[in-house]
Amino acid sequence: MSRVALVTGGTRGIGAAISMALHNAGYKVAATYAGNDEKARAFHDVTGISVHKWDVTDYEACGKGIAKIEDDLGHVDILVNNAGITRDAMFHKMTPQQWHEVINTNLTGLFNMTHQVWQGMRDRSFGRVINISSINGQKGQMGQANYSAAKAGDLGFTKALAQEGAAKNITVNAICPGYIGTEMVLAVPEKVLNERIIPQIPVGRLGEPEEIARIAVFLASDDAGFITGSTITANGGQLFV
Ligand SMILES: NC(=O)c1ccc[n+]([C@@H]2O[C@H](COP(=O)([O-])OP(=O)(O)OC[C@H]3O[C@@H](n4cnc5c(N)ncnc54)[C@H](OP(=O)(O)O)[C@@H]3O)[C@@H](O)[C@H]2O)c1
């Protein structure tokens, strides 16, 4: 029987590419989103993948949403914590709201989601948790104290949980993309992209969402069973760690 994969923020950008790649690899996939119904509907119409709306910052909503998916598809075997936002500002101008929104989505969202599926993975002695962090969690980024802190937190979460999951055949890994051509990055003014960002990337281009999706498919597979607590870096040579 095919395994069930749940991808948060799985209807757009990197998450959509991950949802599709897992679907094409034979998994039963559920994709979640926060509020962009139009994009989610279009994604469902094209792919046939089920889409589910809730906010990953809401622990109760995560529990209810996951219960519905498990009723429909079966137990979640693979969780991809991909949902993320930016609220950029230099620190002296950063508001508490900008701080909390980013921490709540990009870090606490991982707790809210993973905590709901963890016991089931333990009971069934199988699980894959894949956390989408960022190059900016590895190196820090000015204007992103909130985002860099949350994404660095994701890496600590990954390493701690990997130790807890190992004996139960649950792997927990993180992927740190560099700049990938999604709406999040294409919202950056073209001049800044071309003159400041792309010149920092030795391969000379943005990454493709599918390049991150292929890593997620590998980490989800049985072939990746000996890889846990890892941070897989995919940034076109921008940062070596
Ligand atoms: N793009 C990059 O270059 C890059 C680089 C490094 C890391 N990342 C990370 O990769 C992940 C995906 O980025 P992306 O560029 O593909 O983002 P994106 O295109 O902006 O898509 C974000 C997705 O997350 C969902 N989402 C946002 N907040 C949510 C919440 N509170 N609850 C549930 N879902 C929520 C969105 O739902 P709606 O459609 O409803 O808004 C959307 O489906 C993020 O974690 C990001 O930090 C991206």
Side-chain angles (χ1 to χ4, degrees), residues 142-176:
M142 63 187 291
Q144 291 194 325
N146 49 2
Y147 184 82
S148 300
K151 292 300 191 182
D154 293 345
L155 300 181
F157 175 77
T158 299
K159 291 171 194 172
L161 217 51
Q163 294 176 41
E164 294 193 23
K168 294 284 185 185
N169 197 26
I170 307 169
T171 68
V172 187
N173 291 289
I175 303 174
C176 282

Side-chain angles (χ1 to χ4, degrees), residues 85-86 88 106 132-155 175-180 184-185 188 197 200 231 233-235 238-239 241:
I85 57 167
T86 52
D88 296 353
N106 296 12
I132 309 300
S133 176
S134 169
I135 185 175
N136 292 346
Q138 295 173 296
K139 72 173 186 56
Q141 176 61 41
M142 63 187 291
Q144 291 194 325
N146 49 2
Y147 184 82
S148 300
K151 292 300 191 182
D154 293 345
L155 300 181
I175 303 174
C176 282
Y179 286 96
I180 309 298
M184 183 183 272
V185 163
V188 174
I197 293 181
Q200 295 172 34
T231 299
T233 294
N235 61 31
Q238 190 182 347
L239 177 76
V241 282

